[in-house]
Amino acid sequence: MSEIADNRRPLRFGVLSHNTTPDLATLLAQAQRAEQLGYSTFLLPDHIGDQFATTLALARIAAATTHLRVGSYVFANDFRHPVMLAREVATLDVFTGGRFELGLGAGWMASEYQQCGIPFASPGVRIERLAESLQIIKALLAGERLSFSGRHYTIEGLALALQPQQRPYPPILVGGSGKRLLSLAAREATIVGFSPRTQTISVAGHMNQSLDIQDALAPALAEKLTWVRQAAGPRFASLELNLIVLEVILTDKRQQVLTEVAARYGLSEQEVATTPYFLIGSSEEICTQLLHYLQKYYISYWVVWEEYMEALAPVIALLNTSSSP
């Protein structure tokens, strides 16, 4: 489609697996299906519990596919020292033939910190640690011999013998919902991810998260885009903007479904219809929505949860057909 060429990047799509079934055959089949359907990346979250270890699973997925990119969505920074993570990233990029994308976040699931006995610091401290980690990881992957002295990490004359295949380093995704984290992403990452804010609440002594649906609406996203543009400055033109979709509903009764979804979330139909976090309609209607959001918000990299992989596939096929010479 000509509209794609008018903006800085073509559309591409990723599948985010829950990775909650400890069944290797199921996970590999899911990734192979994503590759068949034309998805660009297959992504795994980084949580403790009933999931395969993220780095090992991604290496196995890459071995079972041919061109599908793999990535973390996202590693929790506080659970790994940046030097060790840099080594894991370099190894994964070599093992995958240069198909790895590093997603790194400040850490947000308070319950996991509690379970592991790791103090859940304030957002400011966690973001400060992430900022230092990004400096260290980028320098080491770029081949520097690094000496670094920060508030949280100290590195003395360290270099990695193993270097990633992608130079100077694999694509780095940092995402979030707040101004400080998105501004950091705009300055340091190659991919900036937008996600709605979660709220931490304590229930019977346990920390739980809930989605702030108002933060998924168009006005909030427009404000976040402004933060990113301001923080990125001239490098904004080189950034890839990413968004994880809450729901994809393929239907020829768009208005009816909009009404149903609006009632379920306590929103107006207009609010649901104008936010990129909901993709609702026929293949043609969703294509139109994606191209509109590309022009309005510069979002070109769309991620859907595994349960919506098949629903979005006809849209990807239609976009690929329309953009072919």
Side-chain angles (χ1 to χ4, degrees), residues 17-30 42 44-45 49-53 57 61 306:
S17 171
H18 292 288
N19 188 24
T20 52
T21 302
D23 176 355
L24 180 60
T26 298
L27 184 64
L28 296 182
Q30 191 180 67
F42 192 82
L44 295 183
D50 57 352
Q51 297 185 350
F52 287 116
I61 289 166
E306 62 183 61

Side-chain angles (χ1 to χ4, degrees), residues 1-12:
M1 292 186 175
S2 61
E3 293 94 335
I4 297 177
D6 292 340
N7 218 302
R8 70 177 62 87
R9 289 184 181 271
L11 295 174
R12 69 176 179 128

Side-chain angles (χ1 to χ4, degrees), residues 81-228:
H81 192 283
V83 170
M84 304 308 292
L85 181 56
R87 188 178 66 165
E88 296 283 326
V89 170
T91 301
L92 263 176
D93 201 51
V94 170
F95 283 6
T96 62
R99 289 190 277 148
F100 178 64
E101 297 181 5
L102 170 62
L104 186 60
W108 63 274
M109 189 171 283
S111 59
E112 289 187 338
Y113 282 75
Q114 184 180 50
Q115 290 170 334
C116 295
I118 299 174
F120 189 59
S122 68
V125 170
R126 283 181 281 124
I127 293 170
E128 190 176 71
R129 278 198 291 256
L130 174 61
E132 290 189 11
S133 286
L134 285 167
Q135 292 182 59
I136 293 166
I137 291 168
K138 289 167 66 175
L140 291 175
L141 293 178
E144 296 181 24
R145 180 169 295 279
L146 179 65
S147 292
F148 178 90
S149 180
R151 179 180 175 187
H152 304 283
Y153 304 105
T154 300
I155 313 296
E156 296 183 4
L158 178 68
L160 292 182
L162 178 66
Q163 291 292 294
Q165 184 169 321
Q166 298 176 91
R167 307 303 298 156
Y169 38 74
I172 298 175
L173 179 148
V174 176
S177 59
K179 183 175 183 178
R180 185 169 179 180
L181 185 52
L182 286 171
S183 296
L184 173 64
R187 293 190 300 268
E188 299 293 340
T190 49
I191 307 168
V192 177
F194 295 112
S195 59
R197 181 171 54 240
T198 56
Q199 300 167 316
T200 302
I201 57 174
S202 178
V203 179
H206 295 281
M207 306 303 289
N208 296 294
Q209 270 77 30
S210 62
L211 177 69
D212 179 358
I213 193 63
Q214 293 296 317
D215 199 51
L217 301 183
L221 181 59
E223 182 178 38
K224 293 174 187 182
L225 178 62
T226 299
W227 297 338
V228 170

